[in-house]
Amino acid sequence: MRQIVVTGGGTGIGRAVAEAFAARGDQVVITGRRRSVLDRTAAELGDRVRAVAFDASDPEQVEAALAALPPQVDVLVNNAGGNTDIGAAPPSGLAGVAAAWRANLDANVLSAVLVTTALRPRLAAGGAVVSVSSIAAHRGGSGSYGSAKAAVEAWNLTLAQELGKDRITANVVAPGYVESTEFFQDAMTPQRRAALLAQTANGRAGTPTDIAETVLFLASSAASHLTGQTLHVNGGALAGR
Ligand SMILES: NC(=O)c1ccc[n+]([C@@H]2O[C@H](COP(=O)([O-])OP(=O)(O)OC[C@H]3O[C@@H](n4cnc5c(N)ncnc54)[C@H](OP(=O)(O)O)[C@@H]3O)[C@@H](O)[C@H]2O)c1
């Protein structure tokens, strides 16, 4: 039975990832900042899923959470994150710009780097680290969020080199537009949704399950020679290179 840690596992894509691993018999820890959300999700997903609440971008909270995380981790899924500009007021002045950029870098880059670094001694040989980036890293329009996700992809190359000696893979999944998550809050309009779907080859939005199935594959023995890569899961909205 493998031990899985899914950051941001209380909602959306992370929840679907946790559900998929648990359905295959793995033990899963889901993490996030909101304990009530995590507890509800863990209760709904069953005995194989338990919750540990902490802010993945806060070094002290990550350190403090270690005692509650598994002593051996076979698969780490760095899924926590989101676009912190959504729902925020436009930044005012350079200090505001700096704060807005730091928020996205904290939420998306530091969260993955800190949790991976903290769990590095516990990563089992033959295991996998999968981090969630975004189509936003590969096209314009989302400023600091896309830049933060691009940084995750660049960091993943170093991570793959460092982990390879222990036969641990490190890969990134870059989703396109995925519905049924908390990501967009109230920011999605019918017009924007239609435009996003029109960009795809298959005419539909992604689902959390689409991403979860790709994560499962990357964490499987079938993908043991696949490392340092970014897999695009976007219905053909953008060609991966
Ligand atoms: N939905 C899309 O269209 C889309 C497309 C491309 C990429 N993505 C990426 O996919 C990932 C999952 O997003 P989603 O769409 O499933 O949205 P979501 O439902 O908002 O999930 C994000 C999760 O991350 C957690 N989280 C955020 N910041 C955190 C922090 N500092 N520490 C711990 N947990 C944190 C949130 O829980 P708490 O608030 O309780 O902490 C939440 O459960 C994100 O990295 C996002 O950037 C999404």
Side-chain angles (χ1 to χ4, degrees), residues 33-53:
R33 291 165 297 185
R34 291 167 295 170
R35 166 151 294 287
S36 59
V37 170
L38 291 171
D39 285 346
R40 189 170 64 236
T41 297
E44 288 170 0
L45 295 185
D47 290 347
R48 295 200 181 97
V49 180
R50 69 180 175 89
V52 179

Side-chain angles (χ1 to χ4, degrees), residues 11 13 33-34 55-56 79 132-133 145 149 175-176 178 181-182:
T11 64
I13 292 169
R33 291 165 297 185
R34 291 167 295 170
D55 184 338
N79 163 79
V132 179
S133 171
Y145 173 64
K149 290 301 197 185
V178 176
T181 84
E182 295 183 354

Side-chain angles (χ1 to χ4, degrees), residues 7-15 31-35 37-38 54-58 78-84 106-108 111 132-136 145 149 173-184 208 211:
T7 68
T11 64
I13 292 169
R15 178 189 166 120
T31 81
R33 291 165 297 185
R34 291 167 295 170
R35 166 151 294 287
V37 170
L38 291 171
F54 63 94
D55 184 338
S57 68
D58 180 333
N78 290 312
N79 163 79
N83 186 347
T84 52
D106 278 356
N108 295 287
S111 59
V132 179
S133 171
S134 171
I135 194 171
Y145 173 64
K149 290 301 197 185
V173 179
Y177 171 48
V178 176
E179 285 186 336
S180 306
T181 84
E182 295 183 354
F183 183 91
F184 289 98
I211 310 307

Side-chain angles (χ1 to χ4, degrees), residues 145-171:
Y145 173 64
S147 302
K149 290 301 197 185
V152 170
E153 296 187 15
W155 164 71
N156 182 67
L157 299 175
T158 304
L159 187 64
Q161 290 162 346
E162 289 176 1
L163 299 182
K165 65 178 175 4
D166 292 329
R167 293 182 296 106
I168 302 167
T169 61
N171 290 293

